[in-house]
Amino acid sequence: THLSTGDLLRAEREKGGPTATVIEEYMTAGKLVPNEITVTLLKNAMEMITRTTGKTNFLLDGFPRSLDNLEAWYEIFGRETDLPKMLYFECPYEVLEQRILGRAKFSGRPDDNIESIKLRFDTFKAETLPIVELFRSKGKCVEVDTSQGRQDVYNLVVAHLAEHTAEEF
């Protein structure tokens, strides 16, 4: 089951609950939303899906994005949880910028602008690259070149996933 942390955060923001303002401030500033919010949303979504469907395998889109995210995960789910594999979608900054600006024409997202893109990229370099390096060092990072066309990237991911059993992910 695919769970996008970004989708979960945007849905929570739209509900207007007590964390909505915090989520909005962090996302607009291109920063990572505090771990307790992100991991709690993931945990709640996973529990609801498991309860209602019985499914227990998840593709977590956008998580972990930092070493702190991973630490918060272990605090909630326990340290004995095996480190899964990471699908790392690598793309040159210029291509990402053009894609996000193209998406901005239709998305209505407040963080789809040049200023937020730069802030998000700086956050990525400072906070996400270390987690990518951790997964690489453990032999748990699968890198996919996403500068190619959408169908080519999809085919690469499908081919890779087909090579492995669900237990490996």
Side-chain angles (χ1 to χ4, degrees):
T1 301
H2 173 255
L3 288 174
S4 164
T5 55
D7 289 349
L8 291 170
L9 290 164
R10 282 185 287 280
E12 188 69 14
R13 179 185 65 196
E14 294 306 311
K15 279 195 235 176
T19 60
T21 304
V22 174
I23 292 169
E24 177 68 26
E25 288 172 3
Y26 276 80
M27 290 177 88
T28 301
K31 296 180 180 179
L32 299 181
V33 173
N35 293 322
E36 54 274 6
I37 295 172
T38 304
V39 177
T40 299
L41 290 173
L42 274 173
K43 180 178 184 272
N44 292 344
M46 292 168 74
E47 287 175 348
M48 191 266 307
I49 289 166
T50 299
R51 244 188 344 270
T52 59
T53 69
K55 293 181 179 180
T56 58
N57 288 326
F58 297 93
L59 174 64
L60 304 181
D61 179 350
F63 188 88
R65 291 212 177 172
S66 69
L67 295 170
D68 286 342
N69 273 174
L70 186 60
E71 185 61 32
W73 173 269
Y74 284 140
E75 287 175 17
I76 288 179
F77 290 97
R79 297 214 173 270
E80 64 281 352
T81 305
D82 190 32
L83 193 64
K85 283 199 175 178
M86 169 186 281
L87 289 172
Y88 174 51
F89 295 99
E90 174 63 49
C91 192
Y93 177 80
E94 297 76 23
V95 175
L96 287 172
E97 184 178 275
Q98 290 308 306
R99 287 179 179 172
I100 293 170
L101 291 175
R103 177 180 75 183
K105 296 174 187 172
F106 309 101
S107 72
R109 286 178 50 172
D111 59 342
D112 278 355
N113 60 68
I114 198 71
E115 296 81 19
S116 289
I117 292 169
K118 288 178 181 172
L119 290 169
R120 287 159 59 191
F121 191 67
D122 289 343
T123 298
F124 169 79
K125 288 189 293 186
E127 296 195 42
T128 304
L129 276 181
I131 196 75
V132 172
E133 290 302 325
L134 173 69
F135 276 74
R136 274 187 189 134
S137 73
K138 306 266 185 202
K140 299 278 191 168
C141 184
V142 177
E143 297 185 50
V144 179
D145 175 9
T146 62
S147 64
Q148 306 170 60
R150 185 178 290 187
Q151 190 61 48
D152 291 333
V153 171
Y154 176 80
N155 292 340
L156 285 170
V157 171
V158 168
H160 181 76
L161 292 175
E163 294 175 12
H164 302 280
T165 64
E167 287 76 31
E168 291 180 289
F169 284 93

